[in-house]
Amino acid sequence: MWNPCCFGGAYWGQKFFGSAYFAAAYFSKNGVTDGSNLGSPLTAQDVLTLVQSDLDDQGVRFDTSLFLRHLSRAQDWVTIRYQLLRATFPLVTAAQVPFYAVPCTLARLVVVTHVTNSAGLVLDPVGLADLRYVDLLWAQTAGTPAQFYRIGWRYLGLRPVPDAIDTLRVTGLMVPTPVTALTDVLEIPASYVPELVLVVSGLLVLSEERRYQEGLRRIREGLGIPARTPQPVTVVPSTPAEAR
Amino acid sequence: MGRADILTEAQDLLLDLGDVAFLSGALSEVERMLLQRLPVLTEIRLVATTWAFGQWTNSTTTYTDATVSIQAGGPQALTTLTTNDGHLLGAKGFFEEVRYTVSVAAVGGTPVLEYTYWNGATWRTLTPVSPPTFTATGVQTLIFAAPDDWRQGTPTGVTFPANFDADQCWVRVRFTTAPTVTAPVITALVILTALYPLSNEVLQLLAVVYYPQELEPVPVQNALDLWNQSWPTLTGVPAYVSQQMDALHRVRLVPRPTAVGPIGPALSSGIPLPTDNTLVVMTVEVPTCDDTPQWWDGIASYLVAAADAQRLTEAQDLALAGVLGELSDDLIGMLRGVWEAQGMESTPPRFPMLRR
């Protein structure tokens, strides 16, 4: 059973000594000593415990469903920020078909990063706006695809247009499946739990406690986004006399 | 994820005190603004560059399709000897010129024609710039300006053949005074369709392909007028496209195509197969359904909550609106960085984006 005081010390330890101290303190709970064994998978309950420990002194109260929604969203932002999750799925191509709707779990896809054909050839990404400069008939010129282009979030095109059936392997940056229960296992690496805790606690403090600036600060810290510095106002003299 | 989830998360941030009606109503505008900054929600639409022709029987309000016959050169009558009969012209876009090859001229009496178009609700009067003369043989041309309220759709009260695609832009030509001896007959018909409608949710064109060739995007005044002042009357294989994104959302093909291009069969790729002369339009478009990315819904919920907080006057609400706006800016910047790192252009260079 966690002693919140120990955990609180670990949290502040992270602030002063970096995430390694924090990670070491957390992993010691799971019996990790050399980093080769990440121990038991983290669940939403684990994160809830960490967040409650972190905020306990501040008396934040929230219900479980709200926490799970904020946790799901925090997972999304941390995953995107540090590009933690990728998935590869097949895409079957057909002869003379230039465009394809990306299959699989579309809602979780952020962007397609790599495409490989069945022979192991990695296709080069090209911009849609650049195709016309190479070949005005790019939507028809057939061959073995060597390039792919993204048409927004959900569509891929291949150039040349496939002249035969093939099964491509499409890899994309993903966000995790939303958590809906405290027993759900997180999909992001345990080493990013400190960042996740910061973002979740930031969302909770922002929404439940209405301490907006503190919430935003926590979220930015978790995502490694620097705070904006207010720009000084410069008065430009309008006449040489004023400039003196 | 979807609309309901966005609103739930927005209410989380508003302590369940948000105005439900306002949140729902603001969502579309929020998504439009978000899409202008993150233009990654796209659509690929195939448009058949086909047209339809058929006889109109006024007493039964029936359309009898004769498209295949007239495209094969088979003679077709433009009307009967019955008052108010005539013919219907349809296309998947807005046409402004129709060329009839009259082989048998109308004989008897003084035929009077009425031209109307379907505006989505009713048949409205269409005034030709240059009406055809069906009492003479040869090529007779109907020219008119496409009305602003002309809509693609299936006219109500008209009986179409079973399995007929009636979702078109329609013009009805009726002989309000019919010929008394001989009805005019044509052996060829050309409907020149240059304008194709876009959904009002479209913010920007990405690319337009008159299959198999991509069309060059050009503005009208600074390019087409300088290139050839007769461009509105040119016919042939389209090489240029211009977008119109004011109150009307349309694309214009130049020259006007004369060939037809149906859409191929639906495929497992999720997109029908384009065939020669099919129009392939790729757009940045505001989503109209719940098929949005999970991360998109998150940012949208922050912006919707900010909008609701913004409309209130309490200092605390304004502070919330400000913080949510900053958070959204941070996340949008983060996402743009991810895409740009993948080489995905965030703003296609050729077509301007609709901003309002």
Side-chain angles (χ1 to χ4, degrees), chain A residues 96-164:
Chain A
Q96 301 175 14
V97 178
F99 318 114
Y100 298 83
V102 176
C104 93
T105 50
L106 268 184
R108 294 174 51 209
L109 177 67
V110 178
V111 63
V112 171
T113 56
H114 300 86
V115 178
T116 308
N117 69 10
S118 59
L121 175 71
V122 178
L123 277 59
D124 294 324
V126 294
L128 174 64
D130 298 327
L131 296 174
R132 57 180 295 100
Y133 299 110
V134 178
D135 179 9
L136 275 178
L137 303 180
W138 54 263
Q140 184 187 55
T141 304
T144 301
Q147 298 172 323
F148 75 96
Y149 48 94
R150 307 172 188 87
I151 305 169
W153 160 65
R154 77 174 76 195
Y155 297 107
L156 282 183
L158 300 171
R159 180 186 171 273
V161 176
D163 57 3

Side-chain angles (χ1 to χ4, degrees), chain B residues 168-183:
Chain B
Q168 308 205 31
C169 304
W170 291 102
V171 167
R172 185 179 67 184
V173 182
R174 294 199 301 183
F175 285 71
T176 54
T177 300
T180 57
V181 177
T182 306

Side-chain angles (χ1 to χ4, degrees), chain B residues 11-29:
Chain B
Q11 289 285 27
D12 287 344
L13 296 164
L14 298 168
L15 297 180
D16 289 326
L17 299 175
D19 184 316
V20 174
F22 177 86
L23 291 172
S24 298
L27 184 52
S28 291
E29 193 58 33

Side-chain angles (χ1 to χ4, degrees), chain A residues 76-87:
Chain A
D76 290 350
W77 307 140
V78 170
T79 305
I80 293 172
R81 171 63 181 89
Y82 301 106
Q83 302 194 28
L84 301 178
L85 196 60
R86 294 176 194 266

Side-chain angles (χ1 to χ4, degrees), chain A residues 66 69 73 76-77 101 107 109-111 129 132-133 136 138 150-151 153-155 176 207 212 220 228, chain B residues 1 9 12 15 40 42-43 214 216 269 291 293-295 298 302 316 326 329-330 339 342 345 350:
Chain A
L66 174 71
R69 286 195 293 272
R73 201 51 76 193
D76 290 350
W77 307 140
L109 177 67
V110 178
V111 63
R132 57 180 295 100
Y133 299 110
L136 275 178
W138 54 263
R150 307 172 188 87
I151 305 169
W153 160 65
R154 77 174 76 195
Y155 297 107
S207 61
Y212 308 130
R220 282 175 167 165
R228 297 181 192 179
Chain B
M1 306 301 291
E9 289 191 48
D12 287 344
L15 297 180
V40 293
T42 57
E43 283 297 338
E214 182 180 357
E216 174 81 25
S269 64
D291 188 15
Q294 185 172 306
W295 51 266
Y302 299 158
Q316 193 169 15
E326 287 190 58
D329 285 346
D330 291 341
W339 279 306
Q342 297 298 327
E345 58 264 40
R350 289 304 190 98

